[in-house]
Amino acid sequence: MEEEKLRRLRDYVQESSSIVFFGGAGVSTESGIPDFRSTDGLYHQEWKYPPETILSHSFFLQNTEEFYRFYKKKMLCLEAKPNAAHKKLAQLEDQGKLSAVVTQNIDGLHQMAGSRKVYELHGSVHRNYCQKCGKFYDARHMLEAKGVPRCECGGLIKPDVVLYEEGLDQKTIQGAVEAIAHGDLLIIGGTSLAVYPAAGLIDYFTGKYLVVINRAATPRDKHADLLIQDNIGEVLSGI
């Protein structure tokens, strides 16, 4: 990591009073949570459908058992712990520097690290509700349920996770947009900015500095005041 770039990032953070962090799967991979788009030979042998198909609303309704087989194995990583990136963001919030985290992740690691203002664009595995009576169930219940998770009333339990073909929660979008629009420093980290409409929310940023921290190229690299192509946890822990 270039020391000059890290110094500039420190200066931006020091100068800013309303930092917003917009993150994706790359933030959680450093906690051992795999990006479900990353596939290998074994993956292709085990699953007959691509993840985008399995994690769709129609597939959930029509192939519920297969949906949950994938969901429990690939999406419920309940032993994962917050990494350096999660912890630094929580620390910046405690210091009054960071105003919000906007995340595409569903693992709850930001809250586990201590972050309080978190907009979960795609929901959370830690919230699950019976579609018949509305009763709440936690992620551990979902993981340990045999086959398709059912409520005491017999209803089907669905994760509060935004599936393909489903719209984002409007209240969450509104909160994220307001945070981004009022931020003076936007740090984009651990995301390829390929998933819409989530990635489009950063268009609302009109603040002073835009920082992109991602190992691979993103569509926003050319617009960034500072571009760092390195591990998000390593970079943020150096602030």
Side-chain angles (χ1 to χ4, degrees):
M1 181 169 35
E2 298 177 40
E3 185 59 35
E4 170 59 21
K5 288 190 174 183
L6 188 57
R7 183 193 63 76
R8 284 176 59 194
L9 179 57
R10 290 195 196 106
D11 289 344
Y12 288 173
V13 170
Q14 182 66 32
E15 185 181 331
S16 303
S17 58
S18 184
I19 303 169
V20 176
F21 179 81
F22 183 98
V27 179
S28 293
T29 52
E30 294 181 34
S31 291
I33 295 180
D35 179 351
F36 73 80
R37 288 183 185 79
S38 301
T39 60
D40 53 32
L42 179 63
Y43 174 95
H44 285 298
Q45 292 170 22
E46 184 172 355
W47 311 106
K48 298 178 182 178
Y49 309 92
E52 289 83 358
T53 298
I54 299 175
L55 296 173
S56 67
H57 181 76
S58 56
F59 194 92
F60 172 77
L61 294 177
Q62 297 163 14
N63 301 275
T64 310
E65 190 169 342
E66 183 68 3
F67 169 89
Y68 271 115
R69 192 170 76 87
F70 178 90
Y71 181 80
K72 291 177 184 180
K73 187 161 187 178
K74 301 290 282 187
M75 310 300 284
L76 292 179
C77 305
L78 304 188
E79 306 308 315
K81 303 297 182 186
N83 60 51
H86 298 106
K87 293 174 183 177
K88 176 58 68 172
L89 292 169
Q91 180 185 342
L92 289 172
E93 184 180 3
D94 283 340
Q95 295 171 349
K97 297 291 255 177
L98 185 135
S99 57
V101 169
V102 180
T103 180
Q104 300 172 82
N105 297 334
I106 59 176
D107 49 51
L109 290 180
H110 285 292
Q111 291 92 330
M112 196 182 299
S115 290
R116 297 178 297 279
K117 198 64 170 291
V118 182
Y119 294 103
E120 296 173 307
L121 298 177
H122 296 149
S124 172
V125 299
H126 296 284
R127 298 187 299 268
N128 306 273
Y129 299 96
C130 171
Q131 293 193 302
K132 186 176 180 181
C133 73
K135 183 176 179 179
F136 170 86
Y137 290 89
D138 63 18
R140 180 62 60 181
H141 176 89
M142 301 297 281
L143 183 63
E144 295 176 353
K146 303 295 184 183
V148 175
R150 293 277 177 184
C151 178
E152 298 170 344
C153 74
L156 175 64
I157 305 173
K158 182 182 182 297
D160 188 16
V161 170
V162 179
L163 302 177
Y164 289 97
E165 303 168 351
E166 294 180 342
L168 303 188
D169 177 72
Q170 289 304 307
K171 187 176 180 181
T172 302
I173 291 177
Q174 183 179 351
V177 166
E178 288 180 1
I180 292 170
H182 290 94
D184 53 10
L185 166 60
L186 177 61
I187 301 175
I188 298 172
T191 174
S192 60
L193 295 175
V195 177
Y196 281 80
L201 299 185
I202 62 177
D203 290 335
Y204 290 94
F205 179 68
T206 58
K208 192 168 184 180
Y209 298 118
L210 174 64
V211 175
V212 176
I213 306 169
N214 197 54
R215 291 188 63 84
T218 82
R220 300 290 170 146
D221 290 359
K222 60 185 179 183
H223 302 292
D225 296 289
L226 178 61
L227 173 63
I228 303 178
Q229 293 184 309
D230 214 323
N231 293 328
I232 183 74
E234 184 179 344
V235 174
L236 291 186
S237 62
I239 296 176

